[in-house]
Amino acid sequence: MFATEFLDLPPLAGAHGRVVLPGSKSISNRVLLLSALCRGRTTLHDLLDSDDTRVMLAALRQLGCGVQQDGTTVVIDGLDGKLPATALKFFMGNAGTAMRPLTAALAVLGGDFELSGVPRMHERPIGDLVDALRQLGCQIDYLGNDGYPPLRIGRPALTLDAPIQVRGDVSSQFLTALLMALPLVATREIHIEVVGELISKPYIEITLNLLARYGITVRRDGWQRFTIPAGARYQSPGVLHVEADASSASYFIALGAIAADATAPVRIEGVGESSIQGDIRFVDAARLMGARITSGPNWLEISRSSWPLKAVDLDCNHIPDAAMTLAVMALYADGPTTLRNIASWRVKETDRIAAMATELRKLGATVEEGADFIRVEPLPSATQWKAATIHTYDDHRVAMCFSLAAFNPARLPVRILDPKCVAKTFPDYFEALFSVTTPVSGAVPVLCVDGPTASGKGTLAARLAQALGYHYLDSGALYRVTALAALRAGLALEPQNEAAIAALAERLPVRFVGEQVLLDGNDVSDAIRSEEGGMNASRVSALPAVRTALVALQHSFRQLPGLVADGRDMGTVIFPDAPLKVFLTASAEKRAERRHKQLISKGISAILSDLRADLEARDARDTSRAVAPLKPAQDARLLDNSDLSIEKSLDLMLDWWQSKQPFSNV
């Protein structure tokens, strides 16, 4: 997951490949709570690992559930409808799929509980659910503004003889919460009546489907009346597999429609058109706009059919979350697109109608918004597009939707603020996106950092890569790693093994994570930085075929979303087109002092004057050698960090990089 302040997406050109989606948030949090309410043990496979599910799991542990977790498999030992007698306070973050149903379950069973969340959760309405629960005799008090969390729950005095009325036109989660909670107290038939038109009906279908899996068959009269049978009792299904998230599939369906060729489609695994999730109907909307989609039991394949995409005018009540993706697809359409019946967007993680309209306008679009609709004019000309900084409002779907704007014909980058907000449902979304997209040729940025020995270039380059979310290349370590890999493969570091060592270097499985060096996933940092490691590096660097192979390997590090390359020749030979090259300098005196402190901290004795003399001698050798002499590239920025901290030097480098970006709006 990218945890940076922002993530810059270079302009993208195409898409193909395979994506395995995470589990559905809607299903995951429902089955977690249902499993907790059962007697016995339930094993859940392919559960979503995200912020929202972690919130629910934390709450279940507080309630005394046995929870065993191994990756995406979770085993729940249920409570059989019995809650602890102790007072508990629950922090629910911004997880509506956890807050609403847990509130209802706690309220009907009773206890001494408080539920709160982040500030945005305290702006999301819950009054209609509270009103419905109070009709039953539940004791619920508001601790802040009426109609909104935080809440305090006490012990109820239940009366079940009259139908329970709940509004259906604000959020389907209120009805879902009642349907999941009331079987716990169904000593007689319980009737729920929906007031007004029920929105997001497919989410209620998910709830009813899952209730049946747990032994509760709810009678439904249209969408206005639901009956929970007398004597209902939750029964564990034993084992349950969670479908992949159909809402998350929408971004990759759109990706295929925008950028995939029919001969090399985007393949989505984990969900097919037979899914129980309503958002799978996004495939119908995508087909209307020009996507070519084929499907199997648990997969979809998508490619572009019509281009530009076709404008649509759609009622999106049945796909409220996935419909957001259509708003960005509309930028590539042949006319204005109108999405209707989306009033529920206003009460989600943010006011999504306002948020989408604001951010689409930043890209250059003309947008009209109303109480329950949004109308988006396309951007047919490349000159109309703008390089935008997308504010994400702590809303995962805003971040994921706007990643699709990177396919703009103007070949402009797109900046996504707070990319880690995708952790709510799809923590590895951007990694998945990059795995199936190809950038515009030459568009992946490279930042090169060079300088004399002990100038701090390695530390600063690693920190710069971390701040930007870019890959990191420590080119100076490659010969050391190559030597180590060759020796481990049984190859003596001799000229007669040159071809074999070069072949090994071409496919060297090396990664750099901060200042760690990983070879085939194992940390070899200490092994290659020994005196012996340096001597071995000198021996392999003398082999011309190895040097050639490592040039190709270094080029392979230029991957989405960008690269920071540290070392000799990076800006002059390997990446001469790099848009930012920094040459670090510092006096020999300062560098000697830094090296002295470093050695002393490791318990290695050293004489400061000797270290300075050694550095001055190395500088003289490096700057005067015939091959690859140490010197800054002609267009490099010089940074003398003799009197600068690492943080100040890093800030300066980030400022230089920002000054080269086209983003102006925030």
Side-chain angles (χ1 to χ4, degrees):
M1 182 179 70
F2 288 87
T4 51
E5 180 183 346
F6 58 84
L7 179 62
D8 291 342
L9 306 182
L12 301 175
H16 73 278
R18 167 180 170 269
V19 173
V20 179
L21 294 176
S24 161
K25 178 186 73 169
S26 298
I27 295 176
S28 291
N29 264 351
R30 282 170 171 82
V31 297
L32 281 173
L33 183 56
L34 292 174
S35 299
L37 300 176
C38 287
R39 171 188 293 175
R41 174 170 288 187
T42 306
T43 301
L44 304 173
H45 293 287
D46 305 319
L47 195 82
L48 173 65
D49 179 17
S50 73
D51 288 349
D52 278 24
T53 53
R54 292 185 197 116
V55 164
M56 180 65 91
L57 282 166
L60 299 185
R61 289 187 177 100
Q62 282 184 265
L63 288 170
C65 274
V67 178
Q68 302 172 48
Q69 190 166 7
D70 182 11
T72 59
T73 297
V74 176
V75 179
I76 302 290
D77 290 315
L79 299 168
D80 194 22
K82 299 178 178 62
L83 301 184
T86 54
L88 295 172
K89 294 183 178 182
F90 301 92
F91 179 75
M92 308 306 294
N94 197 15
T97 57
M99 178 76 176
R100 276 72 177 268
L102 186 63
T103 293
L106 296 179
V108 300
L109 293 174
D112 185 358
F113 308 118
E114 288 186 17
L115 296 95
S116 63
V118 300
R120 174 58 186 169
M121 177 62 83
H122 297 170
E123 297 172 351
R124 299 178 68 177
I126 200 170
D128 293 314
L129 175 60
V130 171
D131 290 345
L133 290 167
R134 284 175 171 172
Q135 293 173 48
L136 282 167
C138 292
Q139 179 63 45
I140 306 175
D141 297 315
Y142 296 112
L143 299 178
N145 295 325
D146 282 0
Y148 300 88
L151 307 173
R152 176 178 288 120
I153 293 173
R155 299 195 176 278
L158 296 177
T159 56
L160 305 173
D161 50 337
I164 301 156
Q165 295 189 329
V166 62
R167 282 182 61 185
D169 56 354
V170 175
S171 172
S172 66
Q173 289 180 8
F174 302 153
L175 176 56
T176 279
L178 293 172
L179 289 169
M180 292 174 65
L182 292 176
L184 296 168
V185 292
T187 54
R188 53 168 295 168
E189 276 195 349
I190 302 177
H191 303 285
I192 305 172
E193 294 179 349
V194 177
V195 178
E197 181 184 359
L198 178 62
I199 64 172
S200 307
K201 298 180 181 70
Y203 286 106
I204 301 303
E205 290 183 323
I206 292 176
T207 302
L208 297 176
N209 184 296
L210 293 174
L211 284 170
R213 293 289 302 274
Y214 283 81
I216 309 296
T217 302
V218 177
R219 292 202 314 273
R220 176 170 70 82
D221 300 318
W223 293 102
Q224 299 304 123
R225 186 178 175 89
F226 298 81
T227 302
I228 294 168
R233 186 178 180 85
Y234 279 120
Q235 301 170 13
S236 170
V239 176
L240 189 145
H241 289 262
V242 176
E243 283 186 3
D245 190 61
S247 302
S248 295
S250 72
Y251 314 114
F252 294 96
I253 293 170
L255 178 66
I258 293 168
D261 186 87
T263 60
V266 171
R267 182 180 176 92
I268 299 169
E269 296 189 356
V271 67
E273 286 194 72
S274 60
S275 168
I276 67 170
Q277 300 168 74
D279 270 353
I280 197 62
R281 297 275 61 84
F282 181 86
V283 300
D284 299 329
R287 284 188 177 115
L288 288 175
M289 293 192 77
R292 178 185 287 110
I293 303 174
T294 57
S295 176
N298 206 35
W299 57 267
L300 299 163
E301 286 189 348
I302 311 96
S303 60
R304 178 196 285 188
S305 178
S306 298
W307 194 259
L309 296 176
K310 298 182 183 301
V312 294
D313 188 324
L314 286 178
D315 183 324
C316 295
N317 180 261
H318 62 301
I319 52 169
D321 286 340
M324 294 172 68
T325 312
L326 298 174
V328 179
M329 291 176 70
L331 297 173
Y332 303 99
D334 59 5
T337 287
T338 304
L339 309 178
R340 304 184 186 277
N341 206 1
I342 54 172
S344 65
W345 284 20
R346 297 281 189 191
V347 295
K348 295 286 187 175
E349 282 80 347
T350 188
D351 180 340
R352 286 176 168 169
I353 293 180
M356 293 298 289
T358 298
E359 304 310 310
L360 287 165
R361 291 181 184 119
K362 288 181 182 178
L363 291 166
T366 299
V367 184
E368 179 185 357
E369 61 172 294
D372 66 347
F373 77 91
I374 190 169
R375 185 176 185 271
V376 183
E377 297 275 355
L379 286 167
S381 169
T383 59
Q384 293 176 267
W385 285 82
K386 299 176 183 177
T389 296
I390 302 299
H391 182 51
T392 51
Y393 307 88
D394 195 26
D395 190 329
H396 54 132
R397 301 210 183 280
V398 174
M400 292 186 278
C401 283
F402 278 94
S403 66
L404 300 172
F407 288 91
N408 64 82
R411 298 188 169 185
L412 292 170
V414 177
R415 173 166 289 180
I416 306 292
L417 297 179
D418 188 28
K420 67 179 180 296
C421 68
V422 301
K424 186 175 179 67
T425 52
F426 200 158
D428 296 328
Y429 170 74
F430 289 107
E431 289 87 343
L433 177 70
F434 296 148
S435 74
V436 292
T437 51
T438 52
V440 169
S441 179
V444 176
V446 179
L447 288 70
C448 295
V449 182
D450 196 4
T453 300
S455 60
K457 59 183 182 295
T459 299
L460 276 172
R463 292 277 298 272
L464 182 62
Q466 184 180 38
L468 295 171
Y470 285 1
H471 299 281
Y472 172 52
L473 168 60
D474 179 357
S475 65
L478 290 180
Y479 288 103
R480 293 171 178 258
V481 178
T482 299
L484 179 63
L487 291 171
R488 288 182 174 180
L491 297 171
L493 307 181
E494 302 295 342
Q496 61 266 30
N497 290 325
E498 179 176 356
I501 297 173
L504 181 149
E506 285 180 350
R507 58 182 187 277
L508 198 65
V510 61
R511 287 193 306 121
F512 302 96
V513 181
E515 295 187 62
Q516 269 191 328
V517 183
L518 304 179
L519 176 61
D520 205 17
N522 299 310
D523 188 351
V524 296
S525 306
D526 292 337
I528 67 168
R529 287 169 181 156
S530 65
E531 184 176 350
E532 181 184 5
M535 293 173 62
N536 289 336
S538 297
R539 295 169 71 183
V540 296
S541 67
L543 304 174
V546 173
R547 297 184 69 89
T548 300
L550 288 180
V551 168
L553 180 66
Q554 289 171 103
H555 284 149
S556 73
F557 276 82
R558 189 173 193 167
Q559 299 175 14
L560 289 166
L563 172 67
V564 176
D566 154 34
R568 197 67 41 78
D569 300 338
M570 289 298 98
T572 54
V573 177
I574 309 300
F575 301 110
D577 62 338
L580 177 63
K581 302 164 187 174
V582 177
F583 191 86
L584 288 175
T585 63
S587 67
E589 178 184 3
K590 289 289 186 181
R591 287 184 284 138
E593 289 174 359
R594 293 169 185 169
R595 177 63 58 86
H596 186 259
K597 289 180 181 178
Q598 185 182 51
L599 292 172
I600 295 300
S601 69
K602 295 180 178 180
I604 302 172
S605 62
I607 299 173
L608 185 59
S609 59
D610 290 349
L611 292 174
R612 177 173 177 176
D614 179 62
L615 287 172
E616 289 173 339
R618 290 189 65 172
D619 290 349
R621 290 196 303 270
D622 286 347
T623 55
S624 62
R625 64 191 177 191
V627 178
L630 175 64
K631 63 178 182 179
Q634 286 188 343
D635 53 348
R637 300 288 295 263
L638 299 181
L639 174 54
D640 187 331
N641 66 356
S642 298
D643 299 312
L644 298 179
S645 66
I646 291 175
E647 289 71 24
K648 183 63 177 177
S649 297
L650 177 63
D651 288 344
L652 192 56
M653 293 165 73
L654 286 169
D655 287 344
W656 287 344
W657 179 238
Q658 296 279 40
S659 70
K660 291 180 172 290
Q661 304 312 302
F663 309 112
S664 57
N665 47 32
V666 294

